[in-house]
Amino acid sequence: MDEIDDYLTDETEAPKFYHVPVLSRELIEGLAIRPGGHYLDATVGGGGHSRLILEAAPDTTVTAIDQDQQAIASAQTELAQYSDRIHFWHGNFSEYQPKNLTFDGIIADLGVSSAQFDVPERGFSFRHEAELDMRMNRERSLTAAEVINHWEESKLADIFFKYGEERLSRRIARAIVEKRPFQTTTQLAEAIAYSVPKAYRYGRIHPATRVFQALRIVVNDELTALETFINKAPTWLKPEGRIGIISFHSLEDRLVKHGLRGTSILRVLTKKPIIPQEDEIGNNPRSRSAKLRIAERKEP
């Protein structure tokens, strides 16, 4: 859920996520919002997509979930005017149980939000010095520090390659093991940078980028959770209800693509993923890697 977010804190107020949701036009159009419809926002973040659903047609209702308690608190504040039409649930979307509810539409905006990414103490970014945390749900016990400082070299190399698609994974893992322990994001990023050749060090992206992605995915068990969610979510849809999922890297998109195609109860509506238009990328460079796929539940 990489969005334009400015995370603002005030001593008298709870933290807030202000954002412009990614691919909002395409997602709302693709969902075909129905008056009186009930929708599931599986990654509410700052509430941007939920707000658009609530405004798109009369009497819509939303069940909004997120594993980040700060996101839930912020969305509750931002959407207070719709309090009679929105219900919140804190937890990972893979663990959600709708019981007897069915939905006219389901959305999920994957990945880490800028509100998480830009707050130093969350430890997602090496642009700020912070503890190696990376937990989206602060109630989880596993942190990036635990992985980096205690997992064996071969396991680190494997996750860097598998989840970060890092071709120098073994070289980087070896350097990390030799120089650990690490306390902060910047210490780790610097060690990674000096472990690779100069040409790689000054390439298009910082050499720590893929490693940080891999750590985040592992700490939050992101791909397993996504696979579980995609397997379950289509059964929560009403006939002709639609599901739209926005992904931000190839590992996510591959799971979404095959997951939506792989169930007999869905009809995929996007042969190719929908990507942001030039005007959106200009306003929000972080949207450039977003891909939206939409499917519809078939009639029984």
Side-chain angles (χ1 to χ4, degrees), residues 56-95:
D59 302 318
T60 53
T61 58
V62 171
T63 295
I65 66 180
D66 205 287
Q67 63 182 323
D68 189 327
Q69 187 63 60
Q70 289 181 334
I72 291 282
S74 178
Q76 286 175 325
T77 300
E78 292 300 302
L79 300 174
Q81 69 189 97
Y82 302 105
S83 60
D84 59 333
R85 293 200 278 137
I86 187 166
H87 170 72
F88 293 91
W89 185 84
H90 174 230
N92 190 285
F93 56 20
S94 66
E95 300 165 349

Side-chain angles (χ1 to χ4, degrees), residues 10-229:
D10 186 287
E11 291 182 357
T12 61
E13 297 182 2
K16 296 180 180 180
F17 292 56
Y18 289 99
H19 66 279
V20 176
V22 168
L23 288 166
S24 58
R25 296 167 297 193
E26 295 84 353
L27 180 60
I28 297 303
E29 180 181 341
L31 281 182
I33 307 293
R34 306 169 182 173
H38 187 184
Y39 294 85
L40 174 66
D41 186 344
T43 51
V44 69
H49 284 124
S50 284
R51 178 183 291 277
L52 293 172
I53 291 170
L54 292 163
E55 293 174 348
D59 302 318
T60 53
T61 58
V62 171
T63 295
I65 66 180
D66 205 287
Q67 63 182 323
D68 189 327
Q69 187 63 60
Q70 289 181 334
I72 291 282
S74 178
Q76 286 175 325
T77 300
E78 292 300 302
L79 300 174
Q81 69 189 97
Y82 302 105
S83 60
D84 59 333
R85 293 200 278 137
I86 187 166
H87 170 72
F88 293 91
W89 185 84
H90 174 230
N92 190 285
F93 56 20
S94 66
E95 300 165 349
Y96 178 67
Q97 298 292 340
K99 298 181 181 178
N100 61 340
L101 291 178
T102 54
F103 300 99
D104 295 273
I106 298 171
I107 64 170
D109 184 3
L110 307 175
V112 62
S113 75
S114 295
Q116 294 164 326
F117 196 75
D118 291 341
V119 177
E121 58 264 28
R122 299 302 295 269
F124 286 104
S125 172
F126 50 80
R127 290 187 293 111
H128 315 281
E129 183 172 14
E131 292 184 6
L132 286 160
D133 192 324
M134 299 194 189
R135 292 172 297 170
M136 293 182 184
N137 184 345
R138 305 296 284 273
E139 295 175 0
R140 291 176 65 96
S141 59
L142 183 64
T143 65
E146 174 69 21
V147 174
I148 283 295
N149 291 321
H150 299 286
W151 286 21
E152 62 185 35
E153 180 181 325
S154 61
K155 194 172 182 181
L156 290 176
D158 287 345
I159 66 169
F160 298 161
F161 183 78
K162 182 177 180 181
Y163 299 126
E165 300 178 296
E166 174 53 69
R167 63 184 180 86
L168 298 182
S169 59
R170 299 198 180 284
R171 179 172 182 159
I172 292 170
R174 189 180 313 118
I176 286 172
V177 170
E178 288 173 354
K179 297 177 181 178
R180 67 188 186 188
F182 296 94
Q183 278 75 45
T184 68
T185 53
T186 50
Q187 287 174 351
L188 177 60
E190 184 177 5
I192 293 169
Y194 282 101
S195 73
V196 301
K198 272 192 175 182
Y200 199 77
R201 191 183 310 165
Y202 300 109
R204 185 176 61 85
I205 65 171
H206 191 285
T209 301
R210 295 185 180 91
V211 170
F212 271 62
Q213 174 181 296
L215 286 172
R216 194 198 78 220
I217 288 173
V218 167
V219 167
N220 297 287
D221 203 16
E222 290 180 29
L223 298 184
T224 301
L226 176 58
E227 190 170 18
T228 300
F229 172 74

